[in-house]
Amino acid sequence: MDLDVEKYPHATVVTLTGETIEAGSVEELKKAILPLVETNANLIFDMSRIRFIDSMGCGVLLFTERKLKEKGGHLNICCSSPQVTALFEMLGFRNFLGIYSSKEEAVKSFR
């Protein structure tokens, strides 16, 4: 999976470029984001292109948050579709992930 990466002073925005995050792409995604997790404390996943995420994909988000938290960082999510946002709400992700409607809000939250 290709990732578009934008660096900001307090966080790095990672735009996920596929339309889905599911079992078949999870390992590839983990390999792609692991170097970013190792070199950044705060990440923002821009999910504007993602239309579907399954339980394995949600597991990657939890994995990323756990790794960042170990080093004092945090994962925020932005720009998710209404369907994906509804799934995150149902799963209680808002209790431990920052979920924002825009990239600007997510970036601002790390200042």
Side-chain angles (χ1 to χ4, degrees):
M1 175 178 281
D2 293 327
L3 304 175
D4 293 333
V5 178
E6 299 174 77
K7 294 232 178 226
Y8 289 84
H10 302 287
T12 298
V13 177
V14 180
T15 302
L16 307 175
T17 58
E19 288 189 10
T20 65
I21 303 174
E22 51 193 317
S25 63
V26 166
E27 287 306 314
E28 181 184 356
L29 178 58
K30 270 184 159 177
K31 286 179 186 175
I33 63 173
L34 200 52
L36 295 169
V37 169
E38 292 172 356
T39 58
N40 296 277
N42 296 314
L43 292 178
I44 300 165
F45 284 176
D46 178 338
M47 299 188 66
S48 57
R49 299 179 189 168
I50 304 298
R51 299 292 162 237
F52 174 79
I53 183 169
D54 70 6
S55 61
M56 295 288 288
C58 289
V60 172
L61 301 180
L62 299 175
F63 165 82
T64 303
E65 169 62 10
R66 187 175 68 245
K67 290 291 187 187
L68 292 171
K69 194 172 184 178
E70 287 173 1
K71 54 194 282 186
H74 188 59
L75 174 65
N76 281 348
I77 304 293
C78 72
C79 308
S80 57
S81 70
Q83 302 93 316
V84 172
T85 301
L87 174 66
F88 291 163
E89 293 289 340
M90 184 175 60
L91 294 174
F93 276 23
R94 194 173 292 279
N95 294 326
F96 48 89
L97 296 178
I99 300 176
Y100 297 90
S101 58
S102 73
K103 180 170 40 174
E104 292 76 20
E105 288 177 304
V107 169
K108 188 177 177 182
S109 74
F110 283 120
R111 291 185 189 154

mmCIF file of all heavy atoms in Angstrom, residues 9 29 36 66 73 94 111:
data_model
loop_
_atom_site.group_PDB
_atom_site.id
_atom_site.type_symbol
_atom_site.label_atom_id
_atom_site.label_comp_id
_atom_site.label_asym_id
_atom_site.label_seq_id
_atom_site.Cartn_x
_atom_site.Cartn_y
_atom_site.Cartn_z
ATOM 1 N N PRO A 9 5.015 20.282 12.312
ATOM 2 C CA PRO A 9 5.898 20.397 13.479
ATOM 3 C C PRO A 9 5.622 19.390 14.604
ATOM 4 O O PRO A 9 6.557 18.882 15.205
ATOM 5 C CB PRO A 9 5.668 21.828 13.966
ATOM 6 C CG PRO A 9 5.264 22.577 12.740
ATOM 7 C CD PRO A 9 4.458 21.587 11.929
ATOM 8 N N LEU A 29 0.156 -2.997 4.900
ATOM 9 C CA LEU A 29 -0.031 -1.715 5.570
ATOM 10 C C LEU A 29 0.856 -1.611 6.805
ATOM 11 O O LEU A 29 1.512 -0.589 7.022
ATOM 12 C CB LEU A 29 -1.500 -1.513 5.946
ATOM 13 C CG LEU A 29 -1.836 -0.235 6.710
ATOM 14 C CD1 LEU A 29 -1.414 1.006 5.935
ATOM 15 C CD2 LEU A 29 -3.317 -0.185 7.047
ATOM 16 N N LEU A 36 7.279 4.668 10.033
ATOM 17 C CA LEU A 36 6.726 5.954 10.487
ATOM 18 C C LEU A 36 6.474 5.942 11.989
ATOM 19 O O LEU A 36 6.689 6.943 12.666
ATOM 20 C CB LEU A 36 5.430 6.264 9.729
ATOM 21 C CG LEU A 36 5.597 6.492 8.235
ATOM 22 C CD1 LEU A 36 4.246 6.512 7.546
ATOM 23 C CD2 LEU A 36 6.364 7.767 7.962
ATOM 24 N N ARG A 66 -1.077 1.676 20.038
ATOM 25 C CA ARG A 66 -0.326 1.058 21.132
ATOM 26 C C ARG A 66 1.175 1.349 21.001
ATOM 27 O O ARG A 66 1.836 1.720 21.964
ATOM 28 C CB ARG A 66 -0.580 -0.442 21.185
ATOM 29 C CG ARG A 66 0.039 -1.117 22.402
ATOM 30 C CD ARG A 66 -0.306 -2.595 22.516
ATOM 31 N NE ARG A 66 0.319 -3.355 21.435
ATOM 32 C CZ ARG A 66 -0.314 -3.999 20.465
ATOM 33 N NH1 ARG A 66 -1.627 -4.006 20.421
ATOM 34 N NH2 ARG A 66 0.331 -4.651 19.531
ATOM 35 N N GLY A 73 3.419 8.948 22.420
ATOM 36 C CA GLY A 73 2.724 9.570 21.303
ATOM 37 C C GLY A 73 1.263 9.173 21.233
ATOM 38 O O GLY A 73 0.716 8.579 22.167
ATOM 39 N N ARG A 94 -13.421 6.359 19.788
ATOM 40 C CA ARG A 94 -13.272 7.744 20.247
ATOM 41 C C ARG A 94 -12.732 7.800 21.687
ATOM 42 O O ARG A 94 -12.180 8.805 22.110
ATOM 43 C CB ARG A 94 -14.597 8.488 20.150
ATOM 44 C CG ARG A 94 -14.438 9.985 20.282
ATOM 45 C CD ARG A 94 -15.718 10.736 20.012
ATOM 46 N NE ARG A 94 -16.165 10.687 18.638
ATOM 47 C CZ ARG A 94 -15.699 11.463 17.653
ATOM 48 N NH1 ARG A 94 -14.727 12.300 17.889
ATOM 49 N NH2 ARG A 94 -16.209 11.379 16.444
ATOM 50 N N ARG A 111 -0.895 20.563 18.895
ATOM 51 C CA ARG A 111 -0.122 21.769 19.249
ATOM 52 C C ARG A 111 -0.117 21.982 20.737
ATOM 53 O O ARG A 111 -0.920 21.643 21.478
ATOM 54 C CB ARG A 111 -0.694 22.995 18.561
ATOM 55 C CG ARG A 111 -0.460 22.956 17.085
ATOM 56 C CD ARG A 111 -0.914 24.234 16.443
ATOM 57 N NE ARG A 111 -0.853 24.060 15.011
ATOM 58 C CZ ARG A 111 -1.595 24.725 14.169
ATOM 59 N NH1 ARG A 111 -2.420 25.641 14.596
ATOM 60 N NH2 ARG A 111 -1.495 24.523 12.886
#
